[in-house]
């Protein structure tokens, strides 16, 4: 079986001390990384949970509305159910782009500095 990935590196990285971890945890750079993550993930999580709960509540208490036929055998409930899946994949894709553009470079810089690379 062949893969395109190179074998794991055998070079040893310096392990940071607990004091170094505490120093990085208190640094402005780590605080910015944490803020960048939280400002994206928390509002999106709250919005998705609200969207999901709206779907559940409509299913339980608005049966007439959810049963409204839109075209053929497609009703509001089916359309909103499929939209749940679509929004899940959309959010995952959006987070992946956000992480690659904003979070990963900052995290990699902190990691390499802690391992003695910079």
């Amino acid at each position: 079986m062949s893969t395109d990935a190179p074998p794991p590196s055998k070079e040893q990285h310096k392990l940071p001390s607990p004091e170094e971890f505490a120093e990085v945890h208190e640094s402005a750079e780590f605080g910015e990384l944490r803020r960048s993550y939280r400002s994206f993930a928390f509002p999106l999580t709250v919005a998705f949970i609200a969207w999901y709960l709206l779907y559940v509540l409509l299913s339980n208490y608005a049966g007439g509305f959810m049963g409204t036929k839109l075209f053929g055998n497609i009703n509001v409930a089916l359309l909103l159910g499929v939209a749940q899946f679509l929004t899940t994949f959309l959010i995952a894709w959006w987070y992946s782009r956000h992480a690659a553009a904003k979070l990963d470079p900052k995290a990699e810089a902190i990691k390499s500095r802690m391992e003695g690379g910079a």
Side-chain angles (χ1 to χ4, degrees):
M1 183 169 146
S2 174
T3 62
D4 293 333
S9 173
K10 295 195 191 266
E11 69 182 61
Q12 290 285 7
H13 294 287
K14 177 189 125 239
L15 294 176
S17 69
E19 293 80 21
E20 290 171 315
F21 271 113
E23 181 182 326
V24 168
H25 187 267
E26 299 299 321
S27 72
E29 186 179 23
F30 187 77
E32 176 58 33
L33 175 63
R34 201 171 36 221
R35 268 188 304 283
S36 183
Y37 168 74
R38 288 178 179 171
S39 69
F40 184 87
F42 287 1
L44 212 52
T45 300
V46 169
F48 184 78
I49 289 172
W51 160 229
Y52 175 75
L53 289 176
L54 174 68
Y55 177 72
V56 171
L57 291 172
L58 286 173
S59 295
N60 282 321
Y61 300 110
F65 169 70
M66 294 295 270
T68 303
K69 290 200 184 254
L70 298 174
F71 47 90
N73 288 328
I74 308 298
N75 61 15
V76 172
L78 181 62
L79 188 66
L80 292 179
V82 170
Q84 289 282 318
F85 285 100
L86 292 176
T87 55
T88 300
F89 290 113
L90 177 66
I91 289 169
W93 171 78
W94 193 13
Y95 175 77
S96 175
R97 286 188 46 159
H98 172 75
K102 300 211 168 118
L103 303 178
D104 293 348
K106 292 176 187 175
E108 187 59 40
I110 292 170
K111 178 184 174 224
S112 66
R113 194 168 44 257
M114 287 190 75
E115 291 178 342

